[in-house]
């Protein structure tokens, strides 16, 4: 179990997060990749594993899509505006539909071997009143079972609680701040984990702090008991997720990620 750091040191670490929350910033710093940077990442050699990607048109999803294409993965992507993705050409199969539609999910999973979700909470009022993430995962679990897909990697938040957590003082404060600032989002994310915990899927829940729109600089720090930092570069998140897909280390676990 981790020992609690001195209060002064923990407070120094908390100051950046306190400032962000005090200014009312979102839990994700949304700097999107340009279409050109995604297109340039693709490789002509394709792998045998096809990824079904949810949230691929979002901020974090763009980094995941670029990383997947750069490694040669075929991608099936769900979008409510497929015409906006014409620049991807034939390298990505775009499915027209909404993640809350069981028919669209079935079409997305057709021919895929792994599911990756980068779905974020609805933007309206910074809340997740619709319970989007837990609703989609609740629909995905039986759909994946019916399609014979076992592997599910998804992005969540560092405030989600799981058995085995031993948060130090800064990790505890991180959760309390999210509970106050984004209670709906946390409730939705926690419910999503609860659904996974009783499923028989080979899931990995990536528990992330504030995500910044920056590319890869160094391998992400990974812990299982308490958050190691308050920020994570999107490029480092994308690389970790694809590495975990290729060499599973955290099956049915929820690693905390942060940038060094």
């Amino acid at each position: 179990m981790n020992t609690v750091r001195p209060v002064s040191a923990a407070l120094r670490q908390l100051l950046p997060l306190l400032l962000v929350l005090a200014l009312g910033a979102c839990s994700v710093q949304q700097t999107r990749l340009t279409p050109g940077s995604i297109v340039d990442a693709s490789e002509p050699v394709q792998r045998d594993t096809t990824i079904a990607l949810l949230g691929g048109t979002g901020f974090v999803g763009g980094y995941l899509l670029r990383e997947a294409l750069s490694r040669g993965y075929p991608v099936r992507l769900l979008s409510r505006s497929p015409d906006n993705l014409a620049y991807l050409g034939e390298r990505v199969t775009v499915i027209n539909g909404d993640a809350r539609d069981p028919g669209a999910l079935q079409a997305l999973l057709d021919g895929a071997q792994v599911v990756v979700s980068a779905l974020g909470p609805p933007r309206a009022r910074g809340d997740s009143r619709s319970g989007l993430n837990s609703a989609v995962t609740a629909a995905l679990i039986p759909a994946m079972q019916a399609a014979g897909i076992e592997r599910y990697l998804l992005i969540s938040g560092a405030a989600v609680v799981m058995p085995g957590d031993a948060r130090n003082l800064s990790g505890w404060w991180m959760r309390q701040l999210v509970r106050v600032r984004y209670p709906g989002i946390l409730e939705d994310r926690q419910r999503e984990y609860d659904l996974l915990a009783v499923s028989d899927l080979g899931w990995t829940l990536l528990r992330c702090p504030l995500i910044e729109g920056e590319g890869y600089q160094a391998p992400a720090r990974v812990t299982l008991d308490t958050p190691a930092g308050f920020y994570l570069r999107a490029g480092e998140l994308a690389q970790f997720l694809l590495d975990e897909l290729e060499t599973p280390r955290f099956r049915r676990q929820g690693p905390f990620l942060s940038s060094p």
Side-chain angles (χ1 to χ4, degrees):
M1 179 179 295
N2 287 10
T3 58
V4 175
R5 298 176 183 177
V7 173
S8 58
L11 288 177
R12 282 197 299 271
Q13 285 191 335
L14 279 170
L15 285 177
L17 181 63
L18 288 169
L19 179 59
V20 169
L21 293 175
L23 293 175
C26 295
S27 58
V28 173
Q29 306 301 308
Q30 297 197 0
T31 303
R32 295 171 181 263
L33 289 173
T34 63
S37 66
I38 295 175
V39 169
D40 292 344
S42 65
E43 279 189 354
V45 178
Q46 296 271 296
R47 298 187 185 228
D48 294 331
T49 300
T50 297
I51 298 173
L53 178 59
L54 290 158
T57 59
F59 154 60
V60 174
Y63 284 86
L64 289 172
L65 179 58
R66 183 175 67 173
E67 184 69 18
L69 291 175
S70 73
R71 300 191 188 200
Y73 284 98
V75 176
R76 296 177 65 82
L77 189 153
L78 188 64
S79 174
R80 289 176 294 179
S81 303
D83 292 343
N84 296 338
L85 301 175
Y87 68 89
L88 292 171
E90 298 180 355
R91 289 161 298 176
V92 176
T93 301
V94 181
I95 309 299
N96 184 13
D98 189 285
R100 291 163 288 193
D101 177 8
L105 289 179
Q106 183 178 1
L108 175 70
L109 299 182
D110 185 24
Q113 288 77 48
V114 62
V115 179
V116 173
S117 177
L119 284 176
R123 295 180 184 180
R125 293 182 283 183
D127 201 305
S128 187
R129 291 178 173 84
S130 67
L132 174 66
N133 292 85
S134 58
V136 171
T137 289
L140 266 174
I141 291 172
M144 290 177 62
Q145 292 169 333
I149 302 173
E150 187 261 351
R151 195 73 171 107
Y152 184 24
L153 299 99
L154 61 166
I155 296 168
S156 187
V160 171
V161 171
M162 294 176 59
D165 287 356
R167 294 173 185 261
N168 58 19
L169 181 59
S170 58
W172 180 85
W173 268 110
M174 181 185 293
R175 174 170 164 76
Q176 305 316 307
L177 291 167
V178 173
R179 287 180 64 187
V180 171
R181 185 65 180 86
Y182 305 109
I185 293 175
L186 178 55
E187 180 182 356
D188 184 32
R189 296 291 199 185
Q190 189 69 50
R191 187 162 57 246
E192 181 177 53
Y193 161 69
D194 293 339
L195 291 167
L196 293 171
V198 297
S199 77
D200 59 0
L201 297 181
W203 52 268
T204 299
L205 190 75
L206 308 184
R207 290 190 282 179
C208 303
L210 297 173
I211 303 175
E212 296 183 331
E214 297 181 10
Y216 176 88
Q217 296 185 24
R221 291 185 292 180
V222 186
T223 60
L224 283 173
D225 51 1
T226 188
F230 292 110
Y231 297 97
L232 176 63
R233 299 181 189 94
E236 288 154 15
L237 167 58
Q239 182 167 102
F240 178 88
L241 188 147
L242 270 294
D243 287 347
E244 174 64 21
L245 187 158
E246 295 168 5
T247 308
R249 298 167 50 205
F250 300 99
R251 187 179 292 270
R252 296 186 65 84
Q253 292 182 300
F256 292 102
L257 303 183
S258 63
S259 288

